[in-house]
Each structure stands twice: as C-alpha cells, then as structure tokens.
Amino acid sequence: MESKKNQNEKIENMEIIISKTLRAGVLLSALIILIGLILFFATKSSGYPANTYPTSVGAIIKGLIALKPYAIIMTGLLVLILTPVFRVGVSIITFFQEKDYMYVYITSAVFIILIFSFLLGKVG
C-alpha cells in the first residue's frame, strides 16, 4: 500500500514540475511580447524599414540586441513556441530522477523528433 502511495506522490510531484515549467514559459513569453508592444507604441516604429522584418533566428537576435520592438515581439513568440519543447526536456530529467528509464527513452525519442522537425522546417 505504501508503494502505491509513494508512486502517486511521485507522479503528482512530476506533474507540478511540468505545469510550473509551462506556466513560467507562457508568462515569460507574455512579458517579452508586452515589452515589445510597449516599445512599439512608444516609438511608433517596428525598428525595421516598411515591409521588412527578421526572418531568421539570427536576425531576431540581432534585432533583440538592438532593442527593435518587432524583434522583441518575435523573441516572445519564439519563447512561446519553444516552451513545450523545454517541457519535454524537463520531463526527460524528471523521469531520469525518478529512475523511470522506459519513459526516459520514449521522451528522449519525442525530444529528438521535435528537434529534427524544427531543423527540417528551417531547411524546407
């Protein structure tokens, strides 16, 4: 009986860690986007000439360093897109700490597939 209670407690702890990770990613993304929007409305400029915008991660980072409002907003969107990927990474670590190796392998496979899909999407 104690083993079942311990197992349920471990699952609950893991769910709390994962939910906090997702919440933090969404809140961070919203904060970054809000900063970009405030800067956009304050300067009345996107930071880029008309009809141009950053189309690569490198260009977004350069714009972020230059504090261009549109690049800041795009950074917030990238954080939002990467939040579930980060969640999968946290799951791998959590499963490893729980010594649940079958789920470590499965989640690692999902993580690799996610990374490949981003890379293939970039190339295509």
Side-chain angles (χ1 to χ4, degrees):
M1 186 69 177
E2 185 66 34
S3 176
K4 183 79 166 168
K5 184 178 178 183
N6 234 359
Q7 186 67 19
N8 288 340
E9 191 174 296
K10 286 181 181 181
I11 291 171
E12 188 176 313
N13 287 339
M14 186 174 64
E15 288 174 356
I16 290 170
I17 291 169
I18 290 169
S19 70
K20 285 182 179 181
T21 301
L22 289 171
R23 188 176 304 124
V26 170
L27 291 175
L28 178 63
S29 171
L31 178 65
I32 293 169
I33 291 170
L34 182 63
I35 291 168
L37 284 172
I38 291 169
L39 197 56
F40 176 75
F41 287 122
T43 62
K44 295 182 175 66
S45 170
S46 69
Y48 294 94
N51 297 325
T52 60
Y53 49 89
T55 57
S56 68
V57 175
I60 292 171
I61 292 172
K62 284 182 184 178
L64 179 64
I65 292 169
L67 295 177
K68 295 182 178 185
Y70 194 79
I72 294 171
I73 294 168
M74 294 291 287
T75 301
L77 292 173
L78 280 174
V79 169
L80 185 63
I81 291 168
L82 292 176
T83 296
V85 178
F86 184 68
R87 176 241 189 255
V88 173
V90 169
S91 295
I92 293 170
I93 294 167
T94 305
F95 287 133
F96 188 78
Q97 289 174 341
E98 298 294 328
K99 295 181 174 65
D100 199 344
Y101 299 114
M102 182 178 74
Y103 284 108
V104 169
Y105 299 134
I106 293 169
T107 310
S108 296
V110 170
F111 189 73
I112 290 167
I113 291 168
L114 282 170
I115 298 301
F116 276 134
S117 70
F118 281 127
L119 294 174
L120 291 175
K122 176 70 177 159
V123 173

